Amino acid sequence: MSDVLVLEGPSTLGGTIPIAGAKNAALPCMVAALLTPDPVELEGVPPVQDVFTLRELLMSLGVDVRVDGSRWTLQAERLTSTTVPPDLARRMRASFLTLGPLGVRFGSAEVVYPGGCAIGERPVDLHLAGLEALGFTVDSGGARVRIQARRLRGAVFEFAKVTVTGTEHLMMTAAAISGTTVLRNCAREPEVVQLAEFLRQMGADIEGAGTAQIVVRGSSSLRGTAIRIIPDRIEAGTYAVAAVLTRGRVVLRGARAEHLTTLMECLAGQGATVQTTTEGIVVDARAVTDFRPLRVVTEPYPGFPTDLQAQMMTLMTQAPGVSEVVETIFPDRFNHVAELRRMGAHIELAKPVARVYGPTPLRGTVVAASDLRASACLVLAGLIARGTTVITNVHHLDRGYVRVEEKLRRVGATICRIERVSGSRSRVPGEGEGTIGNLPLG
Ligand code: UD1
């Protein structure tokens, strides 16, 4: 049974929010530990569920994982298995990244096919085509994928579509194969750049990360190293939108503006001021009177991130006129639309386009989180909705955000978490029988 978040709105945010290390940077770096028998050290690992799931998965293969606060040390000296347990693999897509590294170091590997998920179809065909190009035989029949190292060699591979984990998967696999690999049409996300830096420190020669072409000169004897995980640009972006939406002022401590250029341009277009200081990014929307309609087209980095689309849609509900989201990465990623409508939003959906007619006042009600970023969009909606918003299925949010309720409460939101333990609810401030405030619990 999943926890519940309860928000009382509307509120105006003011204060400092510390930004955690990026989940999407930590995950591939954790997997890269499989490439060497030496210990690797990661500083700034965020305590989020996806990271814990991957820890469990790596430990089940025999990786030694030591956790000292946000400093994690992983060592894959001896492995006990190269078959990823299906139940763990199915819980997160990043589990698929283990395939190449296990295959290159231990000769073979097996993982269940991750399949689709809550945000729609998410194929892995490009990962597999790339592994074949590097010299693996790939058996992808049925529910699982098995690879076997045949004659591993550097290769030239062009991604038919820009893929973040696809780029990371092939880059880290090629890093451990002697020879030169040229990857074309690569993802340019900061998380790819961080992984390249990590692999370089481990002994691979990598050029071009952050551009569309990455050249990897691999090494069969990668070594241990240490790296600090970059700040989470999606967490920072989520709170930046929250600051503007509530017409507040928030300091995003540790965030990097250069990772969020397109979002910050959008927010500046709403009349907010965005400044970079030594502390991080300061988003000040106290002088914003009316929001303006806007159009967001999601694109690979440095375009507008699909992971911030849902949060922007909450802002769009407050802008007079017609705003639009065009989702070019995951055309089905619109789970949040139905829930926003339940709160009073007027949204027309013709995938991959959502048209938002505003402004519409939002009202608190019971809504269900359905995936990670859709959950964040509902939290933002709860900040400005009149009355009580109850968000169920909070485990989706916990996959990628660190202590949302704590961070938001510190900057002025009225929000609490109700921990629901095996059918019962606990720590419910002022809860009546079966209700929170005047709302029935769904
Ligand atoms: C990563 C991020 C996720 C983000 C997404 C897009 C992690 C752990 N997750 O997911 O938060 O929303 O990037 O920025 O970093 N595709 C194929 N074939 C493949 C692989 C991908 O067709 O083999 C397609 C996908 O269906 C999608 C597009 O490529 O349309 C981009 O997906 P991709 O970049 O691979 O997303 P993820 O890496 O899974």
Side-chain angles (χ1 to χ4, degrees):
M1 175 145 306
S2 183
D3 290 357
V4 168
L5 283 180
V6 183
L7 293 99
E8 236 6 276
S11 47
T12 301
L13 302 189
T16 299
I17 301 180
I19 300 305
K23 162 182 92 73
N24 286 354
L27 296 174
C29 287
M30 286 170 72
V31 174
L34 290 170
L35 296 170
T36 173
D38 296 346
V40 301
E41 201 177 285
L42 308 177
E43 180 63 65
V45 176
V48 293
Q49 193 51 50
D50 272 9
V51 160
F52 296 137
T53 305
L54 184 58
R55 172 180 64 175
E56 209 183 318
L57 187 155
L58 292 172
M59 286 172 75
S60 77
L61 300 175
V63 179
D64 180 42
V65 185
R66 273 161 287 153
V67 178
D68 176 11
S70 67
R71 179 185 308 218
W72 288 40
T73 310
L74 300 94
Q75 186 168 15
E77 194 177 7
R78 277 180 301 274
L79 286 201
T80 46
S81 170
T82 54
T83 301
V84 179
D87 53 322
L88 290 171
R90 281 197 199 96
R91 274 198 240 159
M92 60 183 316
R93 224 181 119 76
S95 60
F96 204 70
L97 288 175
T98 55
L99 196 60
L102 282 173
V104 79
R105 182 129 173 255
F106 303 99
S108 68
E110 188 177 310
V111 63
V112 286
Y113 200 74
C117 78
I119 63 170
E121 194 57 32
R122 294 178 80 173
V124 287
D125 55 322
L126 303 174
H127 296 235
L128 299 181
L131 290 175
E132 267 176 345
L134 291 173
F136 289 97
T137 47
V138 175
D139 168 8
S140 57
R144 61 168 193 45
V145 180
R146 185 176 168 72
I147 63 167
Q148 200 117 33
R150 205 167 13 107
R151 212 168 48 79
L152 301 186
R153 55 181 184 260
V156 177
F157 182 78
E158 177 158 345
F159 292 96
K161 201 167 179 182
V162 177
T163 151
V164 178
T165 44
T167 301
E168 292 167 348
H169 197 172
L170 292 198
M171 185 170 69
M172 69 174 126
T173 305
I177 296 174
S178 306
T180 302
T181 293
V182 180
L183 301 175
R184 299 202 172 121
N185 197 25
C186 293
R188 295 181 278 165
E189 269 71 359
E191 294 77 18
V192 172
V193 176
Q194 164 128 86
L195 178 65
E197 176 54 32
F198 191 51
L199 295 168
R200 252 194 306 264
Q201 287 180 210
M202 290 174 79
D205 178 0
I206 300 181
E207 279 168 31
T211 74
Q213 176 164 298
I214 300 178
V215 179
V216 183
R217 289 177 199 89
S219 157
S220 54
S221 53
L222 295 178
R223 55 181 181 270
T225 185
I227 202 162
R228 168 171 281 280
I229 301 297
I230 55 172
D232 195 316
R233 63 195 167 94
I234 306 301
E235 187 197 27
T238 300
Y239 292 125
V241 177
V244 175
L245 186 66
T246 65
R247 295 185 172 86
R249 179 184 181 278
V250 163
V251 180
L252 305 163
R253 194 198 298 142
R256 291 206 205 149
E258 72 269 24
H259 292 169
L260 283 159
T261 318
T262 42
L263 174 75
M264 292 307 169
E265 277 167 10
C266 281
L267 299 182
Q270 293 297 326
T273 56
V274 178
Q275 278 178 311
T276 309
T277 67
T278 47
E279 205 183 351
I281 308 175
V282 184
V283 180
D284 190 348
R286 288 172 301 178
V288 173
T289 47
D290 285 329
F291 293 120
R292 298 162 198 165
L294 70 159
R295 184 168 191 268
V296 158
V297 182
T298 64
E299 282 167 341
Y301 190 85
F304 194 93
T306 170
D307 286 350
L308 286 170
Q309 172 260 102
Q311 298 87 318
M312 276 312 269
M313 202 181 284
T314 305
L315 182 64
M316 289 174 178
T317 67
Q318 301 310 300
V322 187
S323 295
E324 202 169 78
V325 169
V326 183
E327 176 55 77
T328 75
I329 311 283
F330 299 116
D332 290 324
R333 190 175 209 174
F334 287 109
N335 288 328
H336 43 290
V337 167
E339 301 307 288
L340 283 177
R341 280 181 186 147
R342 285 158 54 72
M343 296 179 76
H346 179 188
I347 304 169
E348 274 173 13
L349 185 57
K351 293 174 187 176
V353 179
R355 215 156 274 139
V356 185
Y357 298 84
T360 48
L362 299 186
R363 56 178 182 273
T365 185
V366 182
V367 285
S370 51
D371 65 70
L372 175 53
R373 308 303 171 186
S375 320
C377 132
L378 297 179
V379 172
L380 299 198
L383 289 175
I384 55 160
R386 293 225 160 261
T388 311
T389 300
V390 178
I391 305 174
T392 61
N393 291 345
V394 170
H395 61 278
H396 290 293
L397 190 73
D398 294 336
R399 285 188 46 211
Y401 286 89
V402 181
R403 293 186 290 276
V404 174
E405 66 280 9
E406 225 174 279
K407 293 191 182 187
L408 283 175
R409 208 180 302 126
R410 288 213 177 126
V411 293
T414 307
I415 178 171
C416 71
R417 173 184 291 256
I418 300 169
E419 289 176 17
R420 309 185 94 193
V421 187
S422 55
S424 69
R425 299 188 300 277
S426 60
R427 295 200 211 163
V428 188
E431 186 191 4
E433 191 57 36
T435 65
I436 297 172
N438 57 358
L439 289 164
L441 259 178

